[in-house]
Amino acid sequence: FPGNYPILSTKEKVTDIISRAGGLLPEAYPLASSFIRKKKKVQLSFIQMINRPDSKNNFIIMKGDSIIIPTKPNFVELQGEVNNPGVYKFFEDLNVRDYLNMAGGLTVNAEKKEIWVSYPDGINKQLKILAPSPPVYDGSIITVGTEELVEPVDRTELAKEMASIISDFLNIYI
């Protein structure tokens, strides 16, 4: 039962409000839930809070707080240096590498060390080259960074500079 609820006690917690609202619907998606206090989104684990109301993540409600529990979006977004960025259907058994392949792989400008998955609860994980690929949850955003352009070294110019430095050291030595 969504709506505004009065605070009945100075010790009322997030799960108390959720219980008074009738609990979660089957299509509720606690992983993507938000808690807003004074116009700021507070990062916390609704799943831990709901599964363990005595957890330290379950904290006292204050006047003006908002609890937003959406439904599952059923999509994953890929952005940045992938060949086909966009929104893709969510599949439970796919990981970050699977979605990168689905998006046509990385572009030539992709920075392989800057591949991140942002989960709906605000947690981020980096794809490490030799580590297993992180899982992807419904509503995740996978971002591939751009490789920094490095100006190539002009070997002739480098040789001239080195020769000049060596010559200066030899003149000082002599």
Side-chain angles (χ1 to χ4, degrees), residues 54-174:
D54 61 334
S55 95
K56 61 184 173 185
N57 284 323
N58 190 14
F59 54 92
I60 295 174
I61 291 287
M62 294 173 60
K63 182 179 179 186
D65 288 350
S66 295
I67 300 167
I68 302 159
I69 302 175
T71 58
K72 289 186 176 188
N74 202 26
F75 69 80
V76 173
E77 183 177 351
L78 281 96
Q79 56 189 25
E81 295 297 324
V82 292
N83 285 312
N84 293 307
V87 177
Y88 291 81
K89 183 177 181 336
F90 171 71
F91 295 99
E92 279 199 40
D93 55 340
L94 299 184
N95 60 38
V96 172
R97 285 190 177 94
D98 296 328
Y99 277 100
L100 292 173
N101 290 333
M102 190 184 300
L106 304 177
T107 66
V108 294
N109 297 326
E111 176 57 70
K112 292 179 179 126
K113 295 177 187 168
E114 289 299 321
I115 300 174
W116 293 84
V117 58
S118 299
Y119 296 120
D121 62 358
I123 293 174
N124 298 298
K125 285 193 178 177
Q126 185 177 20
L127 175 67
K128 307 238 173 154
I129 293 171
L130 297 175
S133 182
V136 174
Y137 303 131
D138 198 349
S140 295
I141 300 170
I142 299 170
T143 306
V144 179
T146 305
E147 186 175 42
E148 286 186 40
L149 295 174
V150 179
E151 192 173 313
V153 176
D154 182 352
R155 293 176 190 233
T156 307
E157 196 62 37
L158 179 63
K160 284 184 197 177
E161 291 294 324
M162 292 301 292
S164 174
I165 292 169
I166 292 170
S167 172
D168 288 345
F169 278 127
L170 285 173
N171 283 334
I172 292 171
Y173 180 74
I174 294 175

Side-chain angles (χ1 to χ4, degrees), residues 19-76:
S19 293
R20 284 190 19 224
L24 300 180
L25 294 171
E27 61 271 10
Y29 192 39
L31 184 68
S33 298
S34 303
F35 180 82
I36 299 171
R37 176 171 283 170
K38 296 182 181 177
K39 298 182 183 177
K40 292 181 184 171
K41 184 176 175 181
V42 179
Q43 302 289 24
L44 51 91
S45 174
F46 271 79
I47 291 175
Q48 268 189 356
M49 205 182 326
I50 291 165
N51 290 341
R52 289 188 37 229
D54 61 334
S55 95
K56 61 184 173 185
N57 284 323
N58 190 14
F59 54 92
I60 295 174
I61 291 287
M62 294 173 60
K63 182 179 179 186
D65 288 350
S66 295
I67 300 167
I68 302 159
I69 302 175
T71 58
K72 289 186 176 188
N74 202 26
F75 69 80
V76 173

